[in-house]
Amino acid sequence: MRDIRVATVQFQHAAGDKVYNFGRIRHFATEAARARVELIAFPEMCLTGYWHVRKLSRAAFEALAEPVPDGPSTRDLLNLSREHGMTIGAGLLERAPDGGVYNAYVVAMPDGTWAVHRKLHVFEHECIVAGDRFTVFDTPHGCRLGVLICYDNNIVENARATALAGAEILMAPHQTGGCNSVSPRAMKPVDPAIWARRHEDPAAIRAELCGPKGRGWIMRWLPSRAHDNGMFLIFANGIGPDDDEIRTGNAMVLDPYGEVIVETSEPRDAMVVADLDASLLPTSSGRRWLRARRPELYECLTRRTGQETRTRRVRFGD
């Protein structure tokens, strides 16, 4: 990998309004081009809208989806990528040839190539289909990129598998924060009244977005995905009302030591830019740990079933 300038974006999408949402993508991509950015990440399902889709009928849900790469959104992303010489990642609903609908993330590259990741752990609609593979690929910018969408990143094995496939940068598009988690120690809803008064009382909304409902929760686990696997991580997120939840933003870029290089700080649509120093990769803890793995080792695991104890040997690291 060589040094590369990247950007990440938080913005409030409009439910089902692809024209408006692509307009926001074009706006930020144009700003990024002025800053000589080569790679930019937008949030999960930011083209189609996110949380409202769970309420759609099957017909309306399927109508919102489109094929990749022949659908209009992917074509628009590829044209925008070529226009600015920039790799652009953005989320949408993909309709596969077999009719299945996926929560997908398209990465359009300026040489006309593209990649798509289908979210592995899905729950957005009763008819949505889960992806079945990891997504790691080379880019025209001399770096190897991986993609995991939102909850995919919460499963530690997904990040490790992506790193083992050679990813140097992980794109992590989300629609998170402000969710009504069942865990008493995780996210909770952001108070809509505080959001509505964000201009009059900025300290209150920052406390909501940066506290345990948003950034405070994210920082308990997201940096470890970068640190433990020796990858740069680009976190993009929604901001503001998303149906009956309020997204917490906090778009950020982390280095392979899990340190935040740059992050957003305001409750509005925003972009941040970071220069990735490739020299950090070889010495990062995660890269050294990957090299130090012992795939030949076996460990005995004991499982008790009633009065019977069974021992099985499991190979780690393959």
Side-chain angles (χ1 to χ4, degrees):
M1 175 179 162
R2 62 168 176 82
D3 295 351
I4 182 172
R5 178 167 289 184
V6 304
T8 185
V9 173
Q10 62 183 37
F11 82 87
Q12 182 182 356
H13 59 254
D17 191 342
K18 297 179 188 178
V19 173
Y20 171 83
N21 296 331
F22 183 76
R24 299 307 289 155
I25 290 173
R26 175 176 286 282
H27 166 79
F28 283 112
T30 301
E31 291 294 308
R34 294 193 184 106
R36 302 188 307 280
V37 165
E38 295 179 82
L39 188 153
I40 188 169
F42 290 92
E44 171 187 17
M45 282 176 61
C46 61
L47 277 161
T48 51
Y50 178 70
W51 200 222
H52 78 289
V53 303
R54 73 195 193 284
K55 299 176 179 178
L56 297 179
S57 67
R58 178 168 189 157
F61 176 69
E62 293 178 347
L64 195 57
E66 55 185 76
V68 174
D70 298 323
S73 292
T74 304
R75 291 199 302 268
D76 287 344
L77 289 171
L78 283 166
N79 289 337
L80 189 62
S81 172
R82 189 177 302 108
E83 176 184 345
H84 293 307
M86 183 189 308
T87 289
I88 302 172
L92 74 167
L93 288 175
E94 177 197 4
R95 184 171 61 252
D98 64 2
V101 175
Y102 295 86
N103 178 341
Y105 196 76
V106 172
V107 180
M109 289 171 269
D111 61 358
T113 58
W114 57 274
V116 62
H117 177 68
R118 294 170 172 174
K119 189 175 182 181
L120 305 172
H121 305 274
V122 293
F123 47 82
E124 293 80 11
H125 191 275
E126 62 182 1
C127 298
I128 203 161
V129 181
D132 63 358
R133 67 196 62 185
F134 296 106
T135 306
V136 180
F137 52 94
D138 293 317
T139 72
H141 313 289
C143 60
R144 193 159 171 81
L145 192 65
V147 181
L148 292 171
I149 299 173
C150 202
Y151 196 77
D152 291 352
N153 290 277
N154 291 102
I155 310 303
V156 296
E157 293 86 356
N158 291 340
R160 175 52 54 90
T162 301
L164 288 172
E168 297 160 319
I169 302 172
L170 176 63
M171 272 187 166
H174 282 63
Q175 294 289 346
T176 195
C179 305
N180 192 16
S181 169
V182 297
S183 169
R185 299 293 183 90
M187 298 175 289
K188 294 299 174 187
V190 171
D191 187 340
I194 294 177
W195 173 265
R197 289 182 50 79
R198 63 193 180 280
H199 301 301
E200 294 83 2
D201 191 355
I205 191 60
R206 285 197 186 97
E208 290 282 277
L209 302 185
C210 295
K213 298 175 182 178
R215 187 182 189 277
W217 171 75
I218 291 166
M219 295 304 289
R220 291 210 299 268
W221 60 270
L222 189 66
S224 68
R225 302 300 179 264
H227 173 272
D228 292 354
N229 298 290
M231 297 184 288
F232 290 98
L233 193 150
I234 306 176
F235 171 81
N237 196 18
I239 182 70
D242 181 8
D243 198 58
D244 63 350
E245 295 182 341
I246 294 175
R247 303 287 164 241
T248 55
N250 305 119
M252 65 180 73
V253 180
L254 298 97
D255 71 16
Y257 285 93
E259 297 275 353
V260 176
I261 304 172
V262 66
E263 63 183 309
T264 57
S265 60
E266 298 297 326
R268 58 178 174 81
D269 291 7
M271 176 183 75
V272 288
V273 175
D275 291 312
L276 306 189
D277 179 358
S279 70
L280 295 177
L281 282 172
T283 60
S284 66
S285 300
R287 290 282 150 173
R288 289 186 285 113
W289 292 342
L290 290 178
R291 290 194 299 268
R293 290 166 56 251
R294 296 280 306 278
E296 78 280 6
L297 291 180
Y298 286 79
E299 179 174 315
C300 291
L301 299 181
T302 301
R303 179 177 61 193
R304 187 175 299 277
T305 307
Q307 300 302 313
E308 179 185 6
T309 298
R310 297 177 182 173
T311 300
R312 59 192 178 96
R313 299 177 71 80
V314 178
R315 184 168 183 172
F316 285 85
D318 288 349

